[in-house]
Amino acid sequence: MENTLGDFLRSRRARILPEEVGLPSHGRRRVQGLRREEVAQLAGVSVDYYVRLEQGRGGSASDAVLDAVARVLRLDAVETAHLRSLARPPKDPAPAGPARGRGRERVRPGTRLLLDLMTGVPAFVLGRRMDVLAWNALAGAVNGFATRTDGSPDGSPNQARHAFLDPAAREYYRQWDAVAAETVSYLRRDAGLHPDDPALSALVGELSVRSEEFRRLWADHLVREKTHGVKLVRHPLVGDLDFGYETLGVNGSPDQLLVVYTAPAGSPTAQKLALLASWTAPGAEDGAAGHPAAPGPPEPPEAY
């Protein structure tokens, strides 16, 4: 999987104009943004060392050097962490298992129970590579996880495949461009943390072949965490829903995130959620490995 330190550094220095860092911009420049020697000068390292760093031959770069480069390239905290992951990949690969793409990630029974107890909000667990591992009844009613056909090889719905490969996603997400950029930047971060994951390589390869938009966004090397934000969707039954979302880490399961959609009490979205909740019935089976969730409204749609 293409995910080199050099590609990331080149993409970051290309976005900074010389005058932004106090350098003259006159004369013909063969590269967009800062030259390698300019980054080296501003970071206080030799040009030879910085060149070797971009080529992946910098050895074990120190925190001081990486922090200096991050400062020059104006990296935020997430991008700086990504830089460190690329510059100092793990020497001992993790043993084979779910994190390496072999076998289904498991959601603890306590986490599943927590999902079921959150009856008033849509909530689901997001795993590696944006696989949706479990969800509660309301999340199933909002997102249609049980009926989607964008699953990963282990059968889990996958948010990245849904965003880029399902034509209905462009209608479902009212801000599809923002969702697409967020999805790619999150996968980029995952790739930096797990550079030897064959399943992630396969996913990136599939999306690159099948989606021109994914290829373009992947080449931008944007890196973001999935923390909080706004999700605007158009539901086939109840119309427009305006959600905020919060993302929380699952203690004991470092590669899993609990994603919760929220809406202010009394808002039109909250009222529509109450309507969707009234159509759900406890005890039905969804598509998440026997996890109890919603069977759908009395007259279910053909597809979400």
Side-chain angles (χ1 to χ4, degrees):
M1 176 174 54
E2 171 274 319
N3 187 40
T4 68
L5 173 61
D7 291 328
F8 178 65
L9 290 173
R10 284 188 290 272
S11 72
R12 298 306 88 183
R13 61 182 171 88
R15 66 182 181 177
I16 300 178
L17 298 176
E19 55 266 30
E20 292 177 336
V21 292
L23 295 175
S25 59
H26 59 271
R28 184 175 181 179
R29 302 179 68 89
R30 293 186 300 173
V31 298
Q32 182 179 354
L34 295 179
R35 301 185 179 103
R36 290 183 295 188
E37 57 267 27
E38 292 170 336
V39 176
Q41 174 189 345
L42 293 169
V45 299
S46 71
V47 175
D48 179 68
Y49 182 82
Y50 182 78
V51 170
R52 286 189 285 114
L53 184 65
E54 276 205 2
Q55 293 174 344
R57 300 186 295 112
S60 182
S62 68
D63 286 343
V65 168
L66 296 179
D67 287 344
V69 171
R71 173 182 52 79
V72 172
L73 299 180
R74 300 184 176 184
L75 305 186
D76 62 23
V78 176
E79 291 172 321
T80 300
H82 184 65
L83 171 62
R84 293 188 179 192
S85 296
L86 295 179
R88 298 192 300 226
K91 295 182 179 179
D92 298 318
R100 296 290 308 282
R102 300 177 183 177
R104 175 188 290 272
E105 287 186 73
R106 298 185 180 278
V107 176
R108 295 198 311 269
T111 304
R112 293 183 181 274
L113 178 60
L114 177 62
L115 289 174
D116 286 337
L117 294 174
M118 300 171 70
T119 57
V121 293
F124 57 93
V125 175
L126 197 65
R128 289 288 320 286
R129 311 165 207 96
M130 303 196 77
D131 286 344
V132 182
L133 305 178
W135 55 88
N136 66 4
L138 204 47
V142 168
N143 292 284
F145 291 133
T147 60
R148 281 184 5 198
T149 59
D150 52 58
S152 65
D154 70 4
S156 303
N158 182 274
Q159 294 292 75
R161 284 192 177 91
H162 175 60
F164 287 97
L165 303 183
D166 186 348
R170 294 176 183 267
E171 177 69 18
Y172 178 75
Y173 295 116
R174 287 152 51 205
Q175 294 181 331
W176 182 88
D177 289 344
V179 171
E182 177 187 82
T183 298
V184 173
S185 62
Y186 182 75
L187 284 181
R188 263 289 179 197
R189 179 177 177 273
D190 197 14
L193 295 172
H194 304 278
D196 298 320
D197 181 354
L200 181 55
S201 296
L203 174 62
V204 170
E206 177 188 2
L207 294 174
S208 297
V209 169
R210 300 179 61 184
S211 171
E212 180 180 353
E213 292 93 340
F214 181 87
R215 288 196 303 275
R216 175 179 56 81
L217 291 169
W218 187 254
D220 287 340
H221 289 265
L222 297 179
V223 184
R224 293 290 182 271
E225 284 184 314
K226 187 177 179 65
T227 55
H228 64 279
V230 174
K231 194 78 72 177
L232 306 180
V233 305
R234 179 163 292 118
H235 192 276
L237 293 180
V238 297
D240 290 353
L241 297 169
D242 298 354
F243 292 116
Y245 72 82
E246 298 291 332
T247 303
L248 309 173
V250 179
N251 288 338
S253 302
D255 290 325
Q256 295 180 8
L257 299 173
L258 175 64
V259 182
V260 182
Y261 288 175
T262 61
S267 66
T269 294
Q271 295 171 3
K272 293 175 182 179
L273 279 180
L275 179 62
L276 286 174
S278 72
W279 288 338
T280 64
E285 295 291 321
D286 71 1
H291 180 59
E299 296 180 4
E302 293 181 0
Y304 284 90

PDB file of all heavy atoms in Angstrom, residues 42 84 94 110 152 161 199-200 211 213 237 249:
ATOM      1  N   LEU A  42      14.832  25.842   7.733  1.00  0.00           N
ATOM      2  CA  LEU A  42      13.903  26.323   8.752  1.00  0.00           C
ATOM      3  C   LEU A  42      13.806  25.369   9.936  1.00  0.00           C
ATOM      4  O   LEU A  42      13.549  25.787  11.071  1.00  0.00           O
ATOM      5  CB  LEU A  42      12.521  26.533   8.133  1.00  0.00           C
ATOM      6  CG  LEU A  42      12.431  27.660   7.092  1.00  0.00           C
ATOM      7  CD1 LEU A  42      11.098  27.594   6.360  1.00  0.00           C
ATOM      8  CD2 LEU A  42      12.601  29.017   7.761  1.00  0.00           C
ATOM      9  N   ARG A  84       5.044  10.919  12.905  1.00  0.00           N
ATOM     10  CA  ARG A  84       5.844  10.028  13.763  1.00  0.00           C
ATOM     11  C   ARG A  84       5.582   8.557  13.438  1.00  0.00           C
ATOM     12  O   ARG A  84       6.507   7.744  13.460  1.00  0.00           O
ATOM     13  CB  ARG A  84       5.537  10.309  15.229  1.00  0.00           C
ATOM     14  CG  ARG A  84       6.002  11.677  15.693  1.00  0.00           C
ATOM     15  CD  ARG A  84       5.871  11.854  17.185  1.00  0.00           C
ATOM     16  NE  ARG A  84       6.342  13.165  17.606  1.00  0.00           N
ATOM     17  CZ  ARG A  84       6.550  13.500  18.875  1.00  0.00           C
ATOM     18  NH1 ARG A  84       6.320  12.627  19.833  1.00  0.00           N
ATOM     19  NH2 ARG A  84       6.976  14.714  19.180  1.00  0.00           N
ATOM     20  N   ALA A  94       2.692  -6.476  14.622  1.00  0.00           N
ATOM     21  CA  ALA A  94       1.743  -7.106  15.532  1.00  0.00           C
ATOM     22  C   ALA A  94       1.436  -8.520  15.073  1.00  0.00           C
ATOM     23  O   ALA A  94       1.479  -8.833  13.886  1.00  0.00           O
ATOM     24  CB  ALA A  94       0.454  -6.275  15.590  1.00  0.00           C
ATOM     25  N   GLY A 110     -20.510  -6.307  26.971  1.00  0.00           N
ATOM     26  CA  GLY A 110     -20.878  -5.100  27.698  1.00  0.00           C
ATOM     27  C   GLY A 110     -21.080  -3.913  26.777  1.00  0.00           C
ATOM     28  O   GLY A 110     -21.960  -3.067  27.024  1.00  0.00           O
ATOM     29  N   SER A 152     -17.712  -5.551   4.261  1.00  0.00           N
ATOM     30  CA  SER A 152     -16.332  -5.989   4.192  1.00  0.00           C
ATOM     31  C   SER A 152     -16.315  -7.492   3.953  1.00  0.00           C
ATOM     32  O   SER A 152     -17.362  -8.152   3.997  1.00  0.00           O
ATOM     33  CB  SER A 152     -15.626  -5.648   5.511  1.00  0.00           C
ATOM     34  OG  SER A 152     -16.193  -6.398   6.567  1.00  0.00           O
ATOM     35  N   ARG A 161     -16.719   1.910   1.877  1.00  0.00           N
ATOM     36  CA  ARG A 161     -17.332   1.358   0.671  1.00  0.00           C
ATOM     37  C   ARG A 161     -18.687   2.001   0.406  1.00  0.00           C
ATOM     38  O   ARG A 161     -19.049   2.286  -0.738  1.00  0.00           O
ATOM     39  CB  ARG A 161     -17.481  -0.159   0.811  1.00  0.00           C
ATOM     40  CG  ARG A 161     -16.196  -0.946   0.645  1.00  0.00           C
ATOM     41  CD  ARG A 161     -16.498  -2.432   0.503  1.00  0.00           C
ATOM     42  NE  ARG A 161     -15.291  -3.204   0.278  1.00  0.00           N
ATOM     43  CZ  ARG A 161     -14.543  -3.744   1.242  1.00  0.00           C
ATOM     44  NH1 ARG A 161     -14.919  -3.593   2.504  1.00  0.00           N
ATOM     45  NH2 ARG A 161     -13.454  -4.414   0.959  1.00  0.00           N
ATOM     46  N   ALA A 199      -5.533  -6.254   4.785  1.00  0.00           N
ATOM     47  CA  ALA A 199      -6.947  -5.972   4.514  1.00  0.00           C
ATOM     48  C   ALA A 199      -7.155  -4.502   4.195  1.00  0.00           C
ATOM     49  O   ALA A 199      -7.966  -4.153   3.327  1.00  0.00           O
ATOM     50  CB  ALA A 199      -7.801  -6.383   5.712  1.00  0.00           C
ATOM     51  N   LEU A 200      -6.435  -3.625   4.878  1.00  0.00           N
ATOM     52  CA  LEU A 200      -6.538  -2.204   4.573  1.00  0.00           C
ATOM     53  C   LEU A 200      -5.952  -1.906   3.199  1.00  0.00           C
ATOM     54  O   LEU A 200      -6.503  -1.109   2.434  1.00  0.00           O
ATOM     55  CB  LEU A 200      -5.823  -1.383   5.651  1.00  0.00           C
ATOM     56  CG  LEU A 200      -5.863   0.132   5.483  1.00  0.00           C
ATOM     57  CD1 LEU A 200      -7.296   0.644   5.367  1.00  0.00           C
ATOM     58  CD2 LEU A 200      -5.146   0.813   6.637  1.00  0.00           C
ATOM     59  N   SER A 211     -13.172   4.121  -7.780  1.00  0.00           N
ATOM     60  CA  SER A 211     -13.672   5.471  -7.531  1.00  0.00           C
ATOM     61  C   SER A 211     -12.610   6.513  -7.859  1.00  0.00           C
ATOM     62  O   SER A 211     -11.565   6.575  -7.205  1.00  0.00           O
ATOM     63  CB  SER A 211     -14.108   5.621  -6.064  1.00  0.00           C
ATOM     64  OG  SER A 211     -14.393   6.968  -5.759  1.00  0.00           O
ATOM     65  N   GLU A 213     -13.016   9.716  -7.392  1.00  0.00           N
ATOM     66  CA  GLU A 213     -12.996  10.666  -6.285  1.00  0.00           C
ATOM     67  C   GLU A 213     -12.103  10.172  -5.158  1.00  0.00           C
ATOM     68  O   GLU A 213     -11.372  10.963  -4.550  1.00  0.00           O
ATOM     69  CB  GLU A 213     -14.419  10.900  -5.752  1.00  0.00           C
ATOM     70  CG  GLU A 213     -15.327  11.624  -6.710  1.00  0.00           C
ATOM     71  CD  GLU A 213     -16.128  10.650  -7.551  1.00  0.00           C
ATOM     72  OE1 GLU A 213     -15.706   9.462  -7.665  1.00  0.00           O
ATOM     73  OE2 GLU A 213     -17.168  11.053  -8.103  1.00  0.00           O
ATOM     74  N   LEU A 237     -37.490   7.612   4.527  1.00  0.00           N
ATOM     75  CA  LEU A 237     -38.830   7.610   5.112  1.00  0.00           C
ATOM     76  C   LEU A 237     -39.206   8.926   5.785  1.00  0.00           C
ATOM     77  O   LEU A 237     -40.339   9.391   5.637  1.00  0.00           O
ATOM     78  CB  LEU A 237     -38.954   6.477   6.139  1.00  0.00           C
ATOM     79  CG  LEU A 237     -38.903   5.054   5.599  1.00  0.00           C
ATOM     80  CD1 LEU A 237     -39.041   4.068   6.734  1.00  0.00           C
ATOM     81  CD2 LEU A 237     -39.993   4.834   4.566  1.00  0.00           C
ATOM     82  N   GLY A 249     -13.653   6.637  22.312  1.00  0.00           N
ATOM     83  CA  GLY A 249     -12.870   5.416  22.294  1.00  0.00           C
ATOM     84  C   GLY A 249     -13.476   4.362  23.214  1.00  0.00           C
ATOM     85  O   GLY A 249     -14.054   4.687  24.252  1.00  0.00           O
TER      86      GLY A 249
END
